[in-house]
Structures are given as structure tokens and as C-alpha cells.
Amino acid sequence: MDRPVEPGHFSACEARLDKHIAGRCSVDFPVAVVLPAGGSGERTGLLTPKQFCTFLNRPLISYTIQTFERVPWIQSIVVVVAKESLDLMMDIIHRFHHRNVQVVHGGSTRHRSIFNGVRALSEGEGGTARVKPKVVIIHDAVRPFVEEDFLLKITMAAKEQGAAGAIRPLVSTVIATTLEGYLDHSLERTMYRASEMPQGFIYDVIYQAYQRCSESDFEFGTECLHLALQYCGTNAKLIEGPPTLWKVTYKRDLAAAESIVKETLSQSACVVTGGSAQATELANALQKSMSTLDMEVDVISDLMGDDAKSLSKEWNFIRVSVNSSCFSEVGKMLSALEEADRALLHPVVIIWVYLIGSEDGSSASEPMGGEPAAMMELATGAKLGNILVYGIQLHHSKEATLWGRSVEKVAQMSCALIRDRSPALTGQLLQA
Ligand SMILES: Nc1ccn([C@@H]2O[C@H](COP(=O)(O)OP(=O)(O)OP(=O)(O)O)[C@@H](O)[C@H]2O)c(=O)n1
Ligand SMILES: O=P(O)(O)OC[C@@H](O)[C@@H](O)[C@@H](O)CO
């Protein structure tokens, strides 16, 4: 019996690899990616193949493509889709401004799809030869959460060893069953790992492996690393990856993916005060209260000058107005976000906090005459551009405890609106 892998064995190898990679300033060879997306997603029980199922107004595959587009040392991306999905895929590339993406049609099995993608990297239009990559990364299109540093580890290991693959500890014990459906034996879990993605290969290794493999491999196989070993004698380097490498397989996984993206978008907010002392005082109180709710808040007077950088890095904005129910400030923020195309890939949240009354007891004329209708109209238009506009109205109180409670209520409502990003409440003027 082979010796079990000692706990920490892989992390020790990885530490050496980390050190090895740390010494490399950049990837100085061509790298391409093949994203197999030609499946039907039967296990989700949905009619739409899971890679095209949307959350937060975007299909799952677009999140995965974006992940690879952000990696500067990846030159090209090949997406492999079923023939009947070619038009849909081209539309997604257009709508979400994906670039450097080639679409090829898939096959009846995952291996056949992957081979079509690998082949496309060395065969240009009409079968003419094209410059092939040194390393090709293969990554299921339904695994949207992969980080650049792990891709680098896999790529460097593939270049050194010929092949490399992500692995994860098993979460369930693997058992062998008898033909009659009884337990035959269980495997020693510490000796096995789950094979995940991404995987990396020297291009010629995986290309030759696919050229040499059998029809049975194409029909029933699920492991590219096995093909490299079996047909090219290339033994893959195995690298333990983070838990985020999981694959969307069942319907629940789509909900989990949406929740993860929402959490990523809801870490911080930018409060814009317009510069008035009272709006700034409220903003600072909100900042303090929202920090207790794990929301990092930045307070600025306007999205101008250096502060304009928030437009390109923040997903959540709060605009404070004092005794002024006009929307011009919100309208200006909306225009700036639309001009920056900020909401192309993710929904942006704007919360208009409307403070009525002031320290000296004065108050605006009876507020909100026709404004709710104007608010709804502005929010309806914004939603078409993937910007979610909400309103919260609060009355100033000179009684400190009451005022504190109002501010806390606005902080809680703002965090909830940001974290939920529900289109259903846009245009509403909520009362704190
Ligand atoms: N003929 C196929 C089958 C699968 N895949 C892709 O391989 C990846 C992983 O496969 P899997 O999770 O099994 O996807 P499906 O085959 O679509 O799922 P199911 O088995 O539930 O139908 C997915 O991105 C899937 O689109 C592919 O490109 N071509
Ligand atoms: O088996 P499925 O078709 O669900 O998904 C493909 C997986 O097997 C594959 O992504 C990893 O096991 C790595 O090869």
C-alpha cells in the first residue's frame, strides 16, 4: 500500500513553488486559456445551460471570462460552446465588452470540447497555422472564482513540469461498491485528492495527448491530467488550491455564486455630502455606525478632483441632501457613473439620504410634494443602466438619543440595500 500523503506535504511543495515563483518578475512566454462551456448543465435541472444562467444581470460565463481578462500575462481566451449557443455567446461578448475572446464550437463530451479549444490555438482561420502558446490553461467555464496568483502557480508549474493541476482535499470518503449495490471497501481518504481546475499544460503535451487518446477517453474520460500521463508520459505537478475553485454543478451553486459576488461588491461605500456642515456631520455619523456593521465608508464632499477616483473603484454611493428634495445631486452622480460605464459588469448602488430639518429647528417647506414620482422616474431610468437608486428620508432631531437611533437606522438600511442589491426596492423613498 502506498504511503499516505503526510498532512502539509503539498503545502511544503507549494512553499518551495511560491519561493520559486516569487523570484520570477513576469511570465515571459505566451499563455492562452481554454474555457470549456459546451455542456448542457443537466444536473441543475434548468433549461438554460448553467454557464449561461444569469445573476446580478450577468451570465455565469461572463464572470469567468472577466477573471481571465484581468490577468495581464494571458494573451488569448478560447471559449468552447455548443453550436446552438454560438450566437448567444457572441452576444455576451458584445454586451459585456469582453475582448481577445475566440469562440469555437464544442463536442458531445467535455474532452471533445476541450480538444476543439486546444486545436483552435494552433490552427487559425481555415486551418491555417497560427502561433501557438507555450502554456495552455484549461479551466471549466463554470468555475468563476480563480485568483491570478494561483493561475501563476499552475502556469509556472506547467512550464517546468509539462503539466500541473489544482487539487483539493476530499470532503467525503470515497467508497467502492459491489454490483449488488453494497459496500465493497472504502478508500483511505488521506491518500486521495479531488482534481479541480485550473489545469496547465505545455501546449504540445496536451495537444499530442488529445491526438493520441482513444475514443473511449473522449467518450468517458473526465481528467486531462490522466491523458498527459497516459499518452505523453508527463506526470502533472499537483498544487493544492483554495476552496474558491469549486465548480457550479447544481442549481444551489448558482445561488452560492451570486452570494459571493454580492459580498465582494458590498465591502465599502462612498458618502458624498456636497460640502455642507450638516450633511458632513450626518455622513460622519453614518460612517461610524456603518463601520460597526462591517462596512468601510469613505466621506467626500463631491466626486471631483482626486475624489473622482471613487467613480472607478466604488460600487456603492450614498448622497446626502439636507432640506433640499431636488434630485440634481443624484442626477449628477448618475450621469458621472453612466459616463464612466461603471455599471457594465456589476450593478452600482446609489442611496439618496434626504435629511429634513436642521439644528436651528428650521425645516424645508413641506417636503416631497411630487418628489416620490420624480424619484421613481429617475430610478426606473437608472435601472436600465444597471444602477440601483434607493431613497431614505429622515427627520433631524435635537434629542441626542432619538437622533442617534435615526442615524443607526439609516446605517442599517443602507447596509441592507447595498448587500441585497434588489431591483425591487429601487425608486422607493424609505422612512428611517
Ligand atoms: N460536452 C461538453 C460537456 C461539458 N463541457 C463543459 O465542461 C465544464 C464542466 O463540465 P460539467 O460541470 O459536467 O458541465 P455539464 O456537462 O454542462 O453538466 P451536466 O453533467 O450536469 O450536464 C462545463 O463548463 C461544461 O460546459 C463542455 O465544454 N462540453
Ligand atoms: O466531471 P464533470 O463533468 O462534472 O466536471 C469536470 C470535472 O471532472 C473536472 O473539472 C475536474 O475533475 C478536473 O479534471
Side-chain angles (χ1 to χ4, degrees), residues 43 110 140 143 195-197 199 222-224 247 249:
R43 284 170 285 181
R110 178 170 170 269
D140 295 329
R143 296 173 187 262
S195 173
E196 304 292 350
M197 297 303 241
Q199 294 178 348
T222 62
E223 187 47 78
C224 304
K247 175 165 69 76
T249 301

Side-chain angles (χ1 to χ4, degrees), residues 35-45 49-51 61 80-82 106-114 139-143 197 247-250:
L35 300 178
S40 56
E42 284 173 20
R43 284 170 285 181
T44 63
K50 57 193 176 184
Q51 58 273 31
I61 192 167
V80 190
V81 299
S108 59
T109 66
R110 178 170 170 269
H111 270 328
R112 290 195 170 101
S113 293
I114 293 173
H139 186 78
D140 295 329
V142 291
R143 296 173 187 262
M197 297 303 241
K247 175 165 69 76
V248 170
T249 301
Y250 301 101

Side-chain angles (χ1 to χ4, degrees), residues 222-420:
T222 62
E223 187 47 78
C224 304
L225 302 180
H226 164 74
L227 301 182
L229 179 60
Q230 175 92 0
Y231 296 103
C232 296
T234 299
N235 204 343
K237 174 76 182 168
L238 301 176
I239 304 175
E240 193 154 324
T244 51
L245 295 179
W246 54 280
K247 175 165 69 76
V248 170
T249 301
Y250 301 101
K251 186 178 176 186
R252 66 170 185 263
D253 298 327
L254 287 163
E258 177 174 4
S259 171
I260 288 169
V261 173
K262 279 185 174 180
E263 188 181 342
T264 308
L265 298 175
S266 309
Q267 307 291 316
S268 63
C270 173
V271 181
V272 183
T273 65
S276 83
Q278 193 169 3
T280 304
E281 182 199 351
L282 171 53
N284 291 335
L286 277 177
Q287 179 183 45
K288 192 174 172 196
S289 186
M290 289 172 79
S291 67
T292 66
L293 302 170
D294 294 330
M295 184 77 71
E296 187 187 322
V297 172
D298 191 18
V299 176
I300 62 174
S301 60
D302 216 334
L303 288 165
M304 311 279 282
D306 283 349
D307 287 331
K309 64 178 179 299
S310 298
L311 281 169
S312 60
K313 70 180 184 65
E314 187 50 73
W315 298 109
N316 312 297
F317 296 87
I318 298 175
R319 184 55 167 95
V320 177
S321 297
V322 180
N323 288 335
S324 155
S325 64
C326 77
F327 291 122
S328 58
E329 302 111 341
V330 178
K332 271 194 295 186
M333 184 181 279
L334 203 47
S335 305
L337 287 166
E338 286 164 347
E339 198 175 313
D341 215 5
R342 184 65 186 139
L344 172 69
L345 294 178
H346 297 298
V348 174
V349 167
I350 297 180
I351 300 172
W352 179 52
V353 173
Y354 173 37
L355 173 59
I356 301 171
S358 57
E359 283 95 343
D360 62 12
S362 65
S363 170
S365 58
E366 189 45 41
M368 310 313 292
E371 282 74 11
M375 167 89 179
M376 183 56 78
E377 185 183 345
L378 178 123
T380 302
K383 190 159 70 173
L384 296 175
N386 210 18
I387 297 176
L388 307 172
V389 179
Y390 308 96
I392 301 177
Q393 183 182 102
L394 78 159
H395 291 261
H396 188 272
S397 167
K398 293 173 75 173
E399 205 287 309
T401 307
L402 199 54
W403 173 242
R405 279 202 206 113
S406 292
V407 170
E408 195 172 325
K409 184 71 178 160
V410 173
Q412 289 167 354
M413 292 163 79
S414 299
C415 289
L417 290 169
I418 287 169
R419 285 171 178 146
D420 190 43

